[in-house]
Amino acid sequence: MNGLDEVIHQSTRLRMMTALHALKKDEWIEFVRLKSLINASDGNLGAHLETLARAGYVEIDKQIVGKKPLTRIRTTTAGRAAYRHHVAQLRSLLDM
């Protein structure tokens, strides 16, 4: 599967990037909302977010609002480009 992005290709990360890519450029999504959208556990989502962040595909913003933690995520320009490339590669494989 030459040309596929192995960071994005993992099924949970692909679902995450699909959900994030559906947002407007530079739009943030809260951790709990993303977790709900892809049906993941806190630990699973957190681990996959770290992988995407290390690759430079997502930005993670952690704050305390009132007395509660708030974690927000958004794709980077590089992440959006990598996702579009990955999807194009998948489509070309399916069209073979």
Side-chain angles (χ1 to χ4, degrees):
M1 290 200 262
N2 199 13
L4 293 178
D5 186 316
E6 291 302 318
V7 173
I8 294 175
H9 193 66
Q10 195 279 343
S11 64
T12 300
R13 291 191 294 266
L14 182 57
R15 289 194 318 271
M16 292 166 66
M17 289 299 290
T18 300
L20 291 167
H21 193 76
L23 301 172
K24 294 176 186 165
K25 186 179 185 226
D26 296 325
E27 184 177 356
W28 295 91
I29 188 170
E30 291 184 16
F31 182 93
V32 293
R33 177 71 178 134
L34 182 58
K35 180 179 117 170
S36 172
L37 285 173
I38 67 163
N39 196 27
S41 67
D42 286 353
N44 193 280
L45 182 59
H48 287 297
L49 279 173
E50 288 302 319
T51 299
L52 290 168
R54 278 194 309 274
Y57 293 168
V58 299
E59 222 180 310
I60 302 169
D61 175 56
K62 296 184 179 195
Q63 306 173 21
I64 300 295
V65 177
K67 293 184 178 184
K68 294 183 179 181
L70 173 68
T71 301
R72 302 180 315 156
I73 303 102
R74 70 179 175 187
T75 55
T76 62
T77 300
R80 292 179 83 77
Y83 176 80
R84 284 191 304 271
H85 177 77
H86 185 77
V87 168
Q89 293 299 311
L90 286 173
R91 285 187 176 130
S92 71
L93 283 171
L94 292 171
D95 290 340
M96 292 180 119

